[in-house]
């Protein structure tokens, strides 16, 4: 007989081993599978801005990554432009648009 599995998914990129077993069968079967990163689906803040003082550059600049649906950084992406804006009093100054490099866009100058 044949057992067909559908709807299976792995949430992180990397190499996984699938093990197939059945009650009453002594030997199991294994398969190594490489799970790759999917297309860009969302943005994620990987490092938050810290040290905001009026008119001064943040002491720790924020870093934003482009992620696939599983939350993996899409390191093959160096073409997405990410922008930052602020809502509240004052005006955000500095470079507010960054092209990602290997899926990551650091904002080193906003204040």
């Amino acid at each position: 007989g044949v057992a067909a599995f559908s709807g299976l998914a792995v949430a992180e990129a990397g190499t996984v081993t699938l093990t197939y077993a059945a009650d009453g069968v002594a030997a199991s079967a294994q398969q190594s599978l490489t799970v790759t990163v999917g297309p860009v689906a969302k943005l994620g803040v990987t490092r938050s801005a810290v040290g905001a003082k009026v008119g001064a550059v943040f002491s720790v600049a924020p870093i934003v990554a482009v992620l696939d649906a599983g939350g993996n950084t899409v390191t093959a992406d160096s073409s997405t432009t990410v922008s930052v804006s602020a809502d509240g009093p004052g005006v955000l100054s500095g470079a507010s648009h960054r092209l990602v490099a290997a899926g990551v866009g650091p904002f080193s100058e906003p204040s």
Side-chain angles (χ1 to χ4, degrees):
V2 176
F5 295 90
S6 63
L8 301 176
V10 176
E12 292 187 33
T15 301
V16 298
T17 300
L18 301 177
T19 301
Y20 306 95
D23 291 339
V25 177
S28 62
Q30 290 188 329
Q31 170 194 357
S32 181
L33 176 68
T34 300
V35 181
T36 59
V37 174
V40 174
K42 58 187 175 180
L43 298 176
V45 177
T46 60
R47 185 174 75 192
S48 296
V50 176
K53 295 181 181 177
V54 174
V57 174
F58 301 154
S59 61
V60 175
I63 296 178
V64 176
V66 289
L67 308 173
D68 69 2
N72 302 292
T73 300
V74 182
T75 57
D77 185 0
S78 291
S79 63
T80 299
T81 299
V82 179
S83 63
V84 60
S85 60
D87 185 24
V91 175
L92 182 67
S93 63
S96 60
H97 294 79
R98 285 284 188 256
L99 185 64
V100 298
V104 179
F107 288 92
S108 59
E109 299 171 8
S111 62

